Amino acid sequence: LSQLVKQSVDTSWRRLADASVTRKVGPLGGGYIEPPMHPRRFAAVLARKTFTNGKSDCELVAGLYYDTFVGSFGSASTLTYRDCQWSDEEVVRLAEVLEWACHATLLQIDGNTRIGQR
C-alpha cells in the first residue's frame, strides 16, 4: 500500500500522502512494482496469516488497509505504472481496482512490453 502514497526517487521515499503529486514508478523510480491489491484480496491473503491477538488483529489490519486504500487510491488523479515490467496478469489485477479510482483521469501503463504476450 505504501507504493500508492510514497513517491519513489533515486535517493529517498516521499513520506507524505499527497494525492496531488504524480506517483512515478519504473526504472527511474524503483523498477517492478506490484499493482494495487483489491481490499477483498488483501483481506483473503491476510486471513492466511497468524496474528498474536488472533482474528481481531486481522480484521483491524484489513480495515486499516481498506480505509487507506480508499483514501489514497481513490483520490489519485493520475495512475502511472510505466515501465513496471508488467504482463497481462498485473493489468488484470489493476483492472480489479480501477472502480476505486474515483478521481483518476489518466492511466499510464506504457513501456510494459510484456503486456499482450499471452
Side-chain angles (χ1 to χ4, degrees):
L1 183 60
S2 66
Q3 298 172 83
L4 295 175
V5 296
K6 296 177 187 173
Q7 184 177 21
S8 175
V9 296
D10 289 340
T11 58
S12 67
W13 283 91
R14 185 178 185 112
R15 301 283 180 206
L16 302 173
D18 182 356
S20 66
V21 176
T22 300
R23 307 295 172 216
K24 183 171 181 168
V25 296
L28 299 178
Y32 181 80
I33 186 172
E34 289 284 332
M37 190 178 292
H38 193 286
R40 274 192 315 268
R41 183 185 294 249
F42 181 83
V45 168
L46 203 60
R48 294 189 297 268
K49 306 293 182 190
T50 303
F51 285 84
T52 304
N53 290 334
K55 188 176 180 180
S56 64
D57 278 353
C58 181
E59 292 170 354
L60 173 67
V61 172
L64 290 170
Y65 176 85
Y66 174 85
D67 291 343
T68 305
F69 178 81
V70 169
S72 59
F73 191 73
S75 62
S77 60
T78 301
L79 303 175
T80 303
Y81 298 101
R82 290 179 167 159
D83 303 310
C84 292
Q85 304 167 21
W86 280 8
S87 66
D88 295 343
E89 179 183 335
E90 286 87 359
V91 175
V92 168
R93 290 183 4 225
L94 176 64
E96 292 173 356
V97 299
L98 284 179
E99 68 181 291
W100 298 90
C102 305
H103 297 283
T105 57
L106 179 63
L107 171 61
Q108 298 172 319
I109 59 171
D110 53 306
N112 291 290
T113 58
R114 294 177 27 216
I115 294 174
Q117 290 185 358
R118 71 170 169 167

